[in-house]
Amino acid sequence: MSESERDKRAADIPGAGADLDLFEGGPTGRGVYAALRARIVRLDLPPGTPLMRAELAETHGVSLTPLRDALQQLAKEGLVRIYPQSRTLVAPIDTAAIREAQFMRIALETEVVRRLAQAIAPGDLERLRGIVARQAEIGDRPGDIAAFHELDEAFHQTLFAAAGHVQSQRVMRSHGGHLERLRRLHLDDTDAAGRVVNNKAVIGGHTEILDGIAAGAPGRAMDALRRHLNRTVDRMTEKRAAFPDYFASGTQ
Amino acid sequence: MSESERDKRAADIPGAGADLDLFEGGPTGRGVYAALRARIVRLDLPPGTPLMRAELAETHGVSLTPLRDALQQLAKEGLVRIYPQSRTLVAPIDTAAIREAQFMRIALETEVVRRLAQAIAPGDLERLRGIVARQAEIGDRPGDIAAFHELDEAFHQTLFAAAGHVQSQRVMRSHGGHLERLRRLHLDDTDAAGRVVNNKAVIGGHTEILDGIAAGAPGRAMDALRRHLNRTVDRMTEKRAAFPDYFASGTQ
DNA sequence: GGCCGCAAACTGATATATCAGATCTACCAA
DNA sequence: TTGGTAGATCTGATATATCAGTTTGCGGCC
């Protein structure tokens, strides 16, 4: 049942990626882009998978031109590697790219939180508290992974929205594909008990951040956020050992 | 003479933009992209200028396909507006985009400086001091605008390099076209005396930042950086009044 | 039996042709 | 005179054809 739940969530991801409407290659190409990105990020198309343009074009019912647009877009995000005149394949997960994405996220979100601690609209703070409250409600039940994760997304997006910098978050996300894939690897590797613990930690982090903001204490809010975000990447080397084929052979 | 100096600098900008090799549309298209971006950012192609594909293709000696790639790239950066089936023109300077770019820059660079204040390689600190010293040398002479500006660029780039996050700076710059155009507007509007004063302020800012880093005082370094960066955007409304045609009609 | 070289086949890049939507203009009607 | 509409024209999107570089597999040679 958690199985079907997860699949449902996975199927939703294309939609989630679609709001990154920074990308388009024209009306037609866009759908292809979104579909491919979703499959790559979901690791449905694992790193190294060759992408045959002719075949993909036929599958998606478009010609080579919009398909090329989509691939170029993905190449610019680093999710696809195009070897000119040769072939195109799903890029390996790049450790360096993950570090950059993480850096960007900490930098941006830390600044968001800082500004919110200086001034936040009461309505926004309420909304944020509400999200955390809903997380707490389902936090104990190990079942609703999808819902919990969705609320987590909502929390961070609301932070950016409250600060008036949704666009920056969009830019950040558009370069965070490698990090998303790493997170995907983490998704399935915790048992129910461990997940509940993790959920509690997430909720605690969110609460600390909001407390810092509410108290008008930028430093406190920023530190809390930093701790909260650093959780994700810590276990990267472990994942890299478990899925050596998925990662680039670069340093570290 | 400062005239020819400035032109020489302007001619260099394409090269400066070229290291944003985040962008390509294939080997051929890349040159077109760089050339167009340079002309747009330099305000050589003012906002609102229609971009006729057939003509541009002929001018640059390429076909429509790579030209389209270049334009799509520019559209994604927000520098060009494509109205499907209708026309393509240079996008107006967007106040909101400038605010986002400025936000991103402060967030990213502030985090860079914070980390450097915690730990910096002695060689990097030396290099940075060296750049500021060279700025001080030519700071009094109003002539060398190009050289001074180049050193300024080098300073900030070296900060990112020292923190090991050049890639993030690249992403940031790739979305900073609107801000670059605003800066371009500021470039020509100060007389020699004013420029010397401004140069002094820049040098002072850089020095404060480095002092904060050297002292291992993140807060101090970050505050200094914040003050330093906020200089640029302050006079935006003034520019907007002077060049109403260049700006989008959006709020504020 | 293994290695080198050549050629064929495949792939992506580029150019061109076709399609469809949007704008503009001229003409008609109110 | 003005508003609207039909059609011509222009533009970008899409599809297809051509070009050029890369890989691969076969055959000959060492």
Side-chain angles (χ1 to χ4, degrees):
Chain A
M1 60 177 87
S2 87
E3 182 65 30
S4 72
E5 201 68 57
R6 176 149 39 83
D7 281 342
K8 199 150 66 77
R9 179 62 194 150
D12 284 343
I13 291 184
D19 71 22
L20 294 177
D21 58 13
L22 202 62
F23 325 105
E24 19 187 293
T28 303
R30 178 167 168 175
V32 183
Y33 163 80
L36 279 177
R37 186 182 202 279
R39 288 207 285 165
I40 293 173
V41 168
R42 209 193 310 158
L43 295 175
D44 196 19
L45 295 173
T49 307
L51 300 173
M52 286 152 303
R53 289 154 112 107
E55 182 181 310
L56 287 173
E58 193 182 16
T59 303
H60 292 268
V62 300
S63 104
L64 291 174
T65 306
L67 192 110
R68 178 170 172 272
D69 292 344
L71 288 179
Q72 269 188 338
Q73 185 63 45
L74 291 166
K76 255 192 13 212
E77 295 180 30
L79 290 178
V80 150
R81 239 188 134 102
I82 299 177
Y83 298 92
Q85 323 294 32
S86 170
R87 63 191 144 188
T88 300
L89 34 84
V90 177
I93 299 180
D94 182 358
T95 313
I98 290 178
R99 270 208 313 271
E100 288 296 332
Q102 182 72 355
F103 169 78
M104 264 185 85
R105 179 158 188 190
I106 288 183
L108 257 40
E109 210 153 333
T110 251
E111 177 69 15
V112 159
V113 153
R114 195 188 74 88
R115 296 191 182 194
L116 291 180
Q118 291 181 333
I120 186 173
D124 287 327
L125 185 57
E126 245 178 78
R127 203 182 334 271
L128 286 162
R129 292 280 191 202
I131 293 172
V132 178
R134 268 181 289 164
Q135 279 189 303
E137 274 177 39
I138 66 174
D140 300 332
R141 280 174 276 140
D144 272 344
I145 311 163
F148 192 85
H149 182 254
E150 200 170 307
L151 285 170
D152 192 71
E153 284 286 310
F155 179 80
H156 291 281
Q157 178 156 352
T158 304
L159 284 179
F160 276 91
H165 290 289
V166 188
Q167 191 58 35
S168 289
Q169 192 199 25
R170 223 166 258 167
V171 170
M172 173 183 96
R173 274 209 260 167
S174 78
H175 290 274
H178 288 269
L179 184 54
E180 276 185 64
R181 290 198 286 182
L182 177 65
R183 203 172 288 131
R184 183 79 200 175
L185 282 180
H186 285 323
L187 243 185
D188 306 309
D189 68 349
T190 314
D191 62 5
R195 179 159 287 125
V196 170
V197 171
N198 188 49
N199 282 0
K200 285 223 162 100
V202 169
I203 294 168
H206 287 183
T207 303
E208 279 183 61
I209 294 165
L210 290 188
D211 287 348
I213 291 177
R220 205 141 60 81
M222 290 163 85
D223 287 345
L225 178 76
R226 213 179 287 276
R227 278 194 304 274
H228 177 61
L229 290 185
N230 275 327
R231 243 172 247 287
T232 316
V233 186
D234 287 346
R235 292 171 304 166
M236 180 161 68
T237 41
E238 150 199 339
K239 280 299 158 193
R240 185 167 174 164
F243 300 86
D245 295 351
Y246 283 10
F247 286 79
S249 50
T251 38
Q252 242 253 20
Chain B
M1 62 174 85
S2 86
E3 182 66 30
S4 71
E5 202 68 57
R6 175 149 41 85
D7 280 341
K8 197 152 68 76
R9 177 59 193 154
D12 284 342
I13 290 184
D19 71 22
L20 294 175
D21 58 12
L22 203 63
F23 324 106
E24 18 187 295
T28 303
R30 177 166 167 174
V32 183
Y33 163 81
L36 278 177
R37 185 181 203 278
R39 286 208 286 165
I40 292 173
V41 167
R42 208 193 308 159
L43 294 175
D44 196 18
L45 294 173
T49 307
L51 300 174
M52 286 153 302
R53 289 154 113 107
E55 183 182 309
L56 288 173
E58 194 183 15
T59 303
H60 292 269
V62 300
S63 103
L64 290 175
T65 306
L67 192 108
R68 179 169 172 273
D69 292 345
L71 289 178
Q72 270 189 336
Q73 185 62 45
L74 292 166
K76 252 194 16 215
E77 295 180 29
L79 289 178
V80 149
R81 245 192 127 101
I82 298 177
Y83 297 92
Q85 325 293 31
S86 170
R87 64 190 142 188
T88 300
L89 35 83
V90 178
I93 299 178
D94 182 358
T95 313
I98 290 177
R99 271 208 314 270
E100 289 295 333
Q102 181 71 356
F103 169 79
M104 266 185 82
R105 179 159 188 191
I106 288 182
L108 257 42
E109 210 154 333
T110 252
E111 177 69 13
V112 160
V113 154
R114 194 188 75 88
R115 297 192 181 193
L116 291 180
Q118 292 181 332
I120 185 172
D124 287 328
L125 185 58
E126 246 179 78
R127 205 183 335 271
L128 286 162
R129 292 278 191 204
I131 292 173
V132 177
R134 269 181 289 163
Q135 280 189 304
E137 274 177 38
I138 66 172
D140 300 333
R141 281 174 276 139
D144 273 342
I145 310 163
F148 192 86
H149 182 255
E150 199 169 308
L151 286 170
D152 191 71
E153 285 286 312
F155 179 81
H156 291 280
Q157 178 155 353
T158 304
L159 284 179
F160 276 90
H165 291 289
V166 188
Q167 190 58 34
S168 289
Q169 192 199 26
R170 223 166 257 168
V171 170
M172 173 183 97
R173 275 210 258 167
S174 78
H175 290 274
H178 288 270
L179 184 54
E180 278 186 63
R181 290 197 287 181
L182 176 64
R183 202 172 288 130
R184 183 77 199 177
L185 281 180
H186 286 323
L187 243 184
D188 306 309
D189 69 350
T190 313
D191 62 6
R195 178 158 288 126
V196 170
V197 172
N198 188 49
N199 282 1
K200 285 225 163 99
V202 168
I203 295 168
H206 287 183
T207 304
E208 280 183 60
I209 294 165
L210 291 187
D211 288 348
I213 291 176
R220 204 140 61 82
M222 289 164 86
D223 286 346
L225 178 75
R226 213 179 287 277
R227 279 195 304 274
H228 177 62
L229 290 185
N230 275 327
R231 244 174 247 287
T232 317
V233 185
D234 287 347
R235 292 171 303 165
M236 180 161 67
T237 40
E238 150 199 338
K239 280 299 158 195
R240 186 168 173 163
F243 299 86
D245 297 351
Y246 283 10
F247 287 80
S249 51
T251 37
Q252 241 258 19

